[in-house]
Structure formats: structure tokens, C-alpha cells
């Protein structure tokens, strides 16, 4: 592309649905407005996808929870023998963390392959890539919500619930607000650089062990080990939902850092999306 | 009143995505300052300075060889590709019939798919209820309308898709080749239905290789060659120009 063309591209761009000239970001703005006005429709589609995935299955989305819970029961039993812990003491903690982690990791790994797998749809009709990302996140959130009753049963039975547990609701919302820009960033980068998709899988697997899910942050001692937790964004994500369910009083630090991560994430995601929205179709 | 204006629109496809020099590893090293500058970006110019205006009642046929830019232009009009320079200005509700089975839920019943498509087009349930009888009658699916779409034959799916697509109000209609639909009897019914759908209030843009379709449905023709627009004329003139372009006797300014 010649320099003259590039210059032109900077000042003149196309227009979707309206007359007049707008900037290059117009397409991204169209997507944001479309998502906001049709939020119900996109959420409905997400739910439809959950329903379809478990079509004619009796237990449906509960299978995801069952999968995680069998792992938790197995691990808690082993840990009881290996580390001389009482199962009752740790099972609620591990179950909550592991089930919520399933939500995080499947949302992120699905985001990594989202745009290339939507190529045929995206070349048949103008596609709102932002709404696609939203839909995948919602689908995983809905699957997670199906697991809530089981978590409540496990925690309630083994250690009892307090009113603090209600804070898990805003906790889940804030965690979702962190995951939305994060999955959007991953989707965009992974569409351009296919290695990012594989990297996402590797990193999420690695972070499962580095994040306090199977262990508690206190066990790291007061030394350098604490940094593993402090600089780990996933710790805050998990804590937002797990701490209230464990009956802990809200920790200001966790909410403040989470709000910070969300803001930063939205900033980066907005920049990336407005800059590259029109390029994505050529990458997939 | 529908209106479609293509103003010197250009679209280029990047060809450098698979280059080793622009891989993730090299980009990362470059960011860290460990790698020298990567090779230049490389583009294929798929549409070059396309310029035409369509108003109410215009039925534009896009013709040209394979790879001349018909589908790319159609996708640019749709908003799938955005021109990197120039503009496409559009006013009016636009519907793409490039792939009419798009967004169909194979596990949902025919009825539910009608509502699903309505939701997609931002129509209310009440609005869809009004169209329901007409769509169901046209598809002639009978009891099968309540069965999941995955149990349908491909002809039944085509009937349902066409029934739904032509019930949604639109002012600008985009089509890539003609909609294929079932047995000979149904083709006739489809013809009548599409005729009723494409009123003079609308703009149609149809990309096709078939001269007969152009003669039957279009009143204007855009001839494309190598991503350039050769002409924007009436049907007979346009088809004649196309023949000359294919024969290599038509003067193409960018080739001189």
C-alpha cells in the first residue's frame, strides 16, 4: 500500500449504516452500541448454546460441575492422607476455587480460538466480534451459575454459610467484568498470532497450580513466597468469589486491586478493539 | 428511501500474515529490541477505486471473472470488509442473503428458528407473530415445522430459510448467486415469492456468473476486472462490455 493511500486511510473511512464521515473507530463503536442495545438477544444466544451443547443429556451443564467435583473429592481425600488435613476443613475451599477456575480457564481458552472458528459466519454477514466474545463469556458464566447450588450444598454442609456469602454475587459480577476485556484481548491477539492460542492453554494450566486453589496463601509463609499470590491477578479473581462463600469479611485490597485490573483491562481492550476491529476479518 | 453510494472504495487483503518475518516470535523479539526490522507488509489489492451510486429501484448485477472482486465488493457493501480508503455510504435497512441458513439452530424447531431469525433482525415477537402464518404457509412444511431442523431434508431447510429471509423487511438486499431451492415445483414458488419480495422500493445487488439472471432481475450492471470497475451501465451494454473484457478487446486503462 502506498504512503498516499495510508494517509487517505487515516482521514477518510467508510461508514456503516449512516451518511457522513467518521473515524476509523466507527466500526468498533457500532459494535459496542449494537451489543448494548441487543444485550438480551446476545445473552439469550449464549444460553441457547449451553442448552444445545447438552442437548438430550439428562444432567446437562451439571456435567461440568460433576467433572470438577470428582476431581475435588479425589484430591481432598488424597490431601487428607498426604498432608494430614481434615477433608471437611478443605473441601469447601477447594470445591469453590476449582469450580470457579473452570469458568475462568474455559472462558479464556475458548476465547483464544473464537475468531478463527467463526470465519465462515463472519464472511457471510457483518459480524459483531465484540458480541461474539461477550457470548462466549456468558455461555461459560451460565455454566458456572448451574454449579452454584452444588457449591452452596458442599460449603453449607461441611462448614456452614454466613451472610457474607451474598457478597459472592457482586464478586462474580466484578470477576466477569475482568474476564470480558481479558478474553477480548486474547481473542484479538490470538486471531493475528496463532501461537497466542496455544500459549493461552499453557499459561492457564500453569496458573492453576500457581494460584491458591488447591492450597491456601497462608501456607506460603511470610517471605518471598507471598509474591506468588500478590502479583497473581488470578488470585484476586478467585478471591472475589471464594472469600465471601468461606465466610470471610471482605478484604478492601482484593476489591480495590480487582477494580483496578478491570479498569486497566477495559482500557487496553478498547484500544486494541478500536484499532484493529476492521483488520480481524483479514486475519481469520 | 434506500440509498447506497460507493465512493472510491479500496479493499486490500494482507498477504504477509503467513510470512515467517511477521510471526509471533519475530514480533516478540522485535518488541524486545532483539530483532532487526521485519520485511515489508505485502497486500493484494482486491478492490480499487470502486465508484457507483444506487438509488431506490436499482437492481445492480455484479459481473466479472472468478477473482475479479464480485464477492469482495458484495462483502464490502455488507460491512464485512471495510474499505481502507474511500467510503461506502448506506442508508436503509440492509439484509444479506449471501448465506440464508446462517444463524439457524439445527436443534430448534422450524417455528423457533423463525423467531430466532426475527430476534437477529431486531424484530419484536408481535411483529414476528404477524409474519408467522405467511412463512409457515410458504414453506409447506406442515407438521414438520414443529420438529427440530436437523431432521429436515436439505430442500426443507432451504424452503424454511427462504421463507424466513423473504419475510424480513429490507430496503437493500445483497445476494451472491441465486438462492437455490428444492424441486422444480418449489423453484417456481420461490421465484414468485422473491419477485414479490424485490419490490421497486428496494435496492438489489446481485453477484452472479449467469447472464440469464442478470437479464431477468437487473436493470444496471457493474463489470469488474482485476478489482477495478470497468463500467457501470445498463444491462445490454454491460453484458456486451463483459464479453469484450473477456475477449481482451476492451481497453482497460490500468493495463496500459
Amino acid at each position: 500500500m502506498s504512503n498516499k493511500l495510508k494517509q487517505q486511510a487515516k482521514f477518510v473511512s467508510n461508514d456503516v449504516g449512516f451518511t457522513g464521515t467518521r473515524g476509523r473507530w466507527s466500526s468498533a463503536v457500532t459494535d459496542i452500541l449494537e451489543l448494548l442495545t441487543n444485550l438480551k438477544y446476545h445473552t439469550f444466544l449464549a444460553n441457547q448454546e449451553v442448552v444445545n451443547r447438552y442437548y438430550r443429556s439428562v444432567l446437562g451443564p451439571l456435567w461440568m460441575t460433576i467433572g470438577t467435583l470428582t476431581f475435588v473429592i479425589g484430591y481432598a481425600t488424597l490431601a487428607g492422607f498426604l498432608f494430614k488435613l481434615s477433608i471437611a476443613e478443605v473441601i469447601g475451599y477447594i470445591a469453590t476455587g476449582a469450580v470457579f477456575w473452570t469458568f475462568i480457564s474455559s472462558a479464556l481458552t475458548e476465547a483464544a480460538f473464537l475468531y478463527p472458528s467463526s470465519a465462515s459466519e463472519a464472511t457471510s454477514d457483518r459480524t459483531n466480534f465484540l458480541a461474539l466474545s461477550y457470548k462466549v463469556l456468558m455461555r461459560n458464566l451460565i455454566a458456572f451459575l448451574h454449579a452454584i447450588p452444588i457449591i452452596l450444598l458442599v460449603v453449607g454442609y461441611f462448614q456452614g454459610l454466613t451472610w457474607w456469602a451474598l457478597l459472592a454475587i457482586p464478586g462474580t459480577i466484578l470477576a466477569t467484568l475482568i474476564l470480558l476485556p481479558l478474553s477480548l484481548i486474547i481473542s484479538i491477539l490470538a486471531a493475528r498470532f496463532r501461537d497466542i492460542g496455544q500459549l493461552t492453554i499453557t499459561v492457564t494450566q500453569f496458573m492453576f497450580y500457581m494460584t491458591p486453589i488447591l492450597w491456601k496463601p497462608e501456607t506460603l509463609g511470610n517471605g518471598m513466597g507471598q509474591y506468588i499470590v500478590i502479583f497473581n491477578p488470578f488470585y484476586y479473581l478467585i478471591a472475589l468469589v471464594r472469600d465471601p462463600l468461606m465466610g470471610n469479611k471482605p478484604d478492601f485490597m482484593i476489591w480495590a486491586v480487582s477494580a483496578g485490573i478491570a479498569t486497566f483491562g477495559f482500557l487496553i481492550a478498547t484500544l486494541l478493539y478500536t484499532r484493529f476491529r476492521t483488520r480481524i476479518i483479514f486475519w481469520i | 428511501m434506500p440509498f447506497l453510494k460507493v465512493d472510491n472504495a479500496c479493499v486490500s487483503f494482507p498477504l504477509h500474515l503467513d510470512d515467517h518475518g511477521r510471526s509471533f516470535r519475530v514480533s516478540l523479539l522485535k518488541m524486545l529490541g532483539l530483532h532487526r526490522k521485519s520485511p515489508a507488509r505485502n497486500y493484494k489489492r482486491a478492490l480499487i477505486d470502486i465508484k457507483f451510486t444506487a438509488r431506490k429501484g436499482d437492481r445492480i448485477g455484479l459481473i466479472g471473472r472468478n477473482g475479479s472482486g464480485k464477492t469482495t465488493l458484495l462483502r464490502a457493501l455488507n460491512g464485512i470488509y471495510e474499505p481502507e480508503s474511500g467510503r461506502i455510504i448506506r442508508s436503509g435497512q440492509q439484509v444479506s442473503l449471501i448465506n440464508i441458513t446462517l444463524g439457524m439452530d439445527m436443534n430448534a424447531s422450524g417455528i423457533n428458528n423463525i423467531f430466532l431469525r426475527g430476534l437477529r433482525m431486531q424484530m419484536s415477537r408481535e411483529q414476528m407473530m404477524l409474519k408467522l402464518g405467511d412463512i409457515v404457509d410458504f414453506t409447506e412444511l406442515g407438521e414438520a415445522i414443529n420438529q427440530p431442523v436437523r431432521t429436515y431434508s436439505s430442500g426443507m431447510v432451504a424452503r424454511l430459510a427462504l421463507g424466513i429471509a423473504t419475510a424480513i423487511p429490507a430496503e437493500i438486499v445483497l445476494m451472491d448467486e441465486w438462492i437455490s431451492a428444492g424441486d422444480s415445483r418449489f423453484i417456481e414458488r420461490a421465484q414468485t415469492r422473491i419477485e414479490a419480495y424485490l419490490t421497486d422500493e428496494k435496492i438489489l445487488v446481485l453477484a452472479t456468473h449467469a447472464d440469464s439472471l442478470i437479464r431477468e432481475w437487473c436493470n444496471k450492471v457493474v463489470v469488474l476486472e482485476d478489482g477495478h470497475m470497468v463500467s457501470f451501465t445498463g444491462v445490454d451494454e454491460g453484458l456486451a462490455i463483459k464479453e469484450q473484457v473477456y475477449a481482451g478487446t476492451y481497453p482497460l486503462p490500468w493495463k496500459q
Side-chain angles (χ1 to χ4, degrees), chain B:
Chain B
M1 200 156 94
F3 174 78
L4 189 61
K5 185 179 178 189
V6 186
D7 194 4
N8 289 317
C10 297
V11 171
S12 300
F13 294 132
L15 297 176
H16 52 257
L17 292 178
D18 303 319
D19 291 357
H20 163 76
R22 305 198 63 85
S23 71
F24 173 59
R25 189 177 63 89
V26 174
S27 298
L28 202 69
L29 288 175
K30 222 173 61 186
M31 232 163 67
L32 297 171
L34 297 173
H35 201 277
R36 62 203 153 70
K37 245 178 124 45
S38 57
R41 291 186 169 92
N42 183 16
Y43 290 92
K44 152 121 179 83
R45 299 191 70 189
L47 290 180
I48 301 146
D49 287 335
I50 306 293
K51 194 178 169 85
F52 67 89
T53 305
R55 292 192 177 80
K56 185 180 110 169
D58 282 351
R59 296 167 175 198
I60 298 178
L62 304 179
I63 53 179
R65 280 185 245 253
N66 284 330
S68 60
K70 297 187 298 293
T71 301
T72 308
L73 178 54
L74 208 60
R75 287 178 179 170
L77 294 176
N78 185 259
I80 294 169
Y81 301 137
E82 299 211 2
E84 78 242 355
S85 72
R87 301 184 283 175
I88 294 171
I89 300 169
R90 172 191 317 129
S91 97
Q93 171 82 21
Q94 180 172 270
V95 163
S96 154
L97 302 186
I98 296 174
N99 177 4
I100 53 171
T101 54
L102 188 75
M104 260 201 185
D105 185 340
M106 291 297 148
N107 286 326
S109 68
I111 288 282
N112 281 339
N113 267 294
I114 295 173
F115 284 111
L116 203 63
R117 181 71 183 196
L119 273 174
R120 191 184 163 89
M121 302 312 297
Q122 296 163 37
M123 291 174 69
S124 71
R125 215 180 158 79
E126 289 69 38
Q127 280 174 300
M128 282 315 280
M129 284 303 251
L130 294 176
K131 311 249 171 208
L132 197 61
D134 167 52
I135 299 174
V136 173
D137 283 348
F138 171 74
T139 58
E140 291 185 339
L141 285 170
E143 274 305 300
I145 198 85
N146 292 313
Q147 298 292 321
V149 173
R150 76 189 147 76
T151 62
Y152 289 14
S153 71
S154 57
M156 289 159 84
V157 175
R159 265 143 62 190
L160 179 64
L162 182 63
I164 300 173
T166 47
I168 310 276
E171 291 170 302
I172 305 172
V173 182
L174 306 177
M175 286 170 87
D176 197 355
E177 293 297 343
W178 205 245
I179 297 168
S180 59
D183 53 35
S184 61
R185 196 183 77 86
F186 186 72
I187 289 174
E188 226 167 83
R189 279 166 42 78
Q191 200 79 349
T192 325
R193 181 144 174 124
I194 294 172
E195 229 162 283
Y197 174 66
L198 295 174
T199 59
D200 288 340
E201 302 299 310
K202 291 182 176 149
I203 293 176
L204 166 73
V205 183
L206 164 69
T208 181
H209 283 291
D211 289 0
S212 57
L213 277 180
I214 296 284
R215 286 189 198 282
E216 188 176 352
W217 293 100
C218 301
N219 51 27
K220 286 183 182 174
V221 164
V222 170
V223 180
L224 292 167
E225 172 77 355
D226 293 337
H228 291 265
M229 191 171 102
V230 180
S231 64
F232 178 47
T233 59
V235 172
D236 292 329
E237 203 182 333
L239 289 175
I241 291 173
K242 183 200 75 171
E243 290 307 325
Q244 287 179 40
V245 169
Y246 283 16
T249 52
Y250 194 84
L252 302 170
W254 64 92
K255 282 208 168 151
Q256 287 155 10

Side-chain angles (χ1 to χ4, degrees), chain A residues 13 35 44 46 53 67 73 77 96 101 105 110-111 114 141 149 163 179-180 241 248 250 254 257 259 269 279:
Chain A
S13 183
L35 174 61
F44 169 79
R53 180 169 292 191
I73 291 166
T77 315
T96 317
W101 180 262
S105 72
E110 279 177 34
L114 177 61
L141 177 66
W163 284 109
L179 288 171
L180 180 62
V241 177
N248 297 344
I254 285 170
V257 172
R279 308 303 308 159

Side-chain angles (χ1 to χ4, degrees), chain A residues 94-267:
Chain A
I94 296 175
T96 317
V99 169
F100 194 63
W101 180 262
T102 315
F103 166 42
I104 296 175
S105 72
S106 61
L108 297 186
T109 45
E110 279 177 34
F113 300 95
L114 177 61
Y115 294 165
S117 67
S118 318
S120 76
E121 187 191 336
T123 48
S124 300
D125 202 349
R126 186 183 185 282
T127 300
N128 184 344
F129 289 104
L130 176 67
L132 275 186
S133 289
Y134 169 81
K135 195 172 70 178
V136 165
L137 185 60
M138 278 304 116
R139 182 169 77 207
N140 284 292
L141 177 66
I142 290 166
F144 167 70
L145 293 180
H146 279 89
I148 296 274
I150 296 185
I151 293 182
L152 291 180
L153 273 176
V154 172
V155 177
Y157 179 77
F158 284 103
Q159 62 191 79
L161 285 161
T162 64
W163 284 109
W164 289 121
L166 285 175
L167 275 177
I169 297 169
T172 308
I173 294 172
L174 183 50
T176 309
L177 287 178
I178 293 175
L179 288 171
L180 180 62
L182 188 58
S183 58
L184 188 63
I185 293 167
I186 290 176
S187 289
I188 296 171
L189 293 179
R192 174 63 184 85
F193 301 108
R194 295 304 159 94
D195 298 83
I196 301 271
Q198 302 303 327
L199 187 71
T200 307
I201 296 179
T202 312
V203 170
T204 15
Q205 270 167 1
F206 174 71
M207 291 315 285
F208 176 68
Y209 296 103
M210 299 309 284
T211 308
I213 295 165
L214 302 178
W215 46 276
K216 293 192 174 181
E218 300 89 86
T219 48
L220 288 173
N222 289 322
M224 296 290 278
Q226 283 296 327
Y227 289 117
I228 295 176
V229 171
I230 292 171
F231 291 113
N232 180 352
F234 291 108
Y235 162 65
Y236 300 94
L237 264 173
I238 296 264
L240 278 176
V241 177
R242 187 179 53 198
D243 282 2
L245 288 170
M246 294 298 104
N248 297 344
K249 282 186 192 137
D251 181 347
F252 176 74
M253 262 301 282
I254 285 170
W255 287 81
V257 172
S258 300
I261 298 174
T263 315
F264 184 67
F266 268 103
L267 198 75

Side-chain angles (χ1 to χ4, degrees), chain A residues 13-16 21-33 126 274 277-278, chain B residues 82:
Chain A
S13 183
N14 92 313
D15 222 64
V16 180
T21 310
R22 288 182 292 166
R24 198 164 207 190
W25 39 267
S26 68
S27 196
V29 175
T30 308
D31 285 352
I32 295 167
L33 292 177
R126 186 183 185 282
T274 47
R277 163 65 181 86
T278 58
Chain B
E82 299 211 2

